[in-house]
Amino acid sequence: MKEINVAGQKRTDLGKKASKQLRKQGIVPCNLYGEAKDEQGAPVAMALAIPMTNLRKAIYTPHVYVINLDIEGEHHTAILKELQFDPVTDAVVHIDFLEINEEKPITIGIPVKLVGLAQGVRDGGRMNLSIRKINVTAPYKSIPENLDVDVTSLKIGKSIKVGELSYEGLEIATSKEVIVCSIKMTRQAAAAAAAAK
């Protein structure tokens, strides 16, 4: 997985008004969830404020980044857990980070990369990618940048399901029944097949 360095500071004023003020200055209110838990066993978050300019590369990308957070000299390794966007302006209004370490497995969506030219496409069909990411569970050092799916022998009308895939050292968390990609018959290919009869 690619890594990116992001710097920010702790937030002390946690009210809605303070968050609104931060957003006006181009700063995103964030939470970092880690190992810490309260007396009831619920996760305790560290409240952070990070300039949007520092986050842009980690958010607007097809890649999954491990984020090295530098919070006033404290270092944390994390991944993006959840992003909240403004429904009107589409601006990022809040981010949750999840702290990770080398031993503890994490579950994260990894981009799918189709490899090879499918037989069905050569025969005039159209490739249809149904999901862009597959969720996998593994220690973060074992997680690849993308998951290669070999489509070379895929024919028209056929599909590849998540259950048919396996990757060394990774446990697939997405349901086995989910279709990753399929090849649909195009009108042109259907007309050519009818004409050939």
Side-chain angles (χ1 to χ4, degrees), residues 5 7 16 24 52 61 85 93 104 116 121 123 131 135 138 143 151 171 177-178 188 192 197:
N5 297 321
K16 279 188 176 175
K24 275 187 182 166
M52 185 60 202
T61 174
F85 293 92
V93 292
K104 194 176 171 194
V121 172
D123 294 341
I131 56 170
N135 291 336
I143 293 176
V151 296
E171 184 187 318
E177 293 307 306
V178 172
Q188 212 174 343
K197 281 180 183 171

Side-chain angles (χ1 to χ4, degrees), residues 1 64 79-81 105-113 131-139 143-147 149 161-163 165-167 169-176 178-180:
M1 285 170 77
V64 178
I79 54 169
L80 286 175
K81 184 175 176 238
I106 56 167
T107 300
I108 190 168
I110 300 297
V112 170
K113 184 180 174 194
I131 56 170
R132 300 203 174 278
K133 289 183 176 179
I134 294 175
N135 291 336
V136 300
T137 304
I143 293 176
E145 281 180 34
N146 47 49
L147 298 172
V149 177
K161 289 185 177 177
V162 170
L165 306 173
S166 68
Y167 300 94
L170 300 179
E171 184 187 318
I172 296 177
T174 298
S175 166
K176 289 180 165 54
V178 172
I179 292 172
V180 179

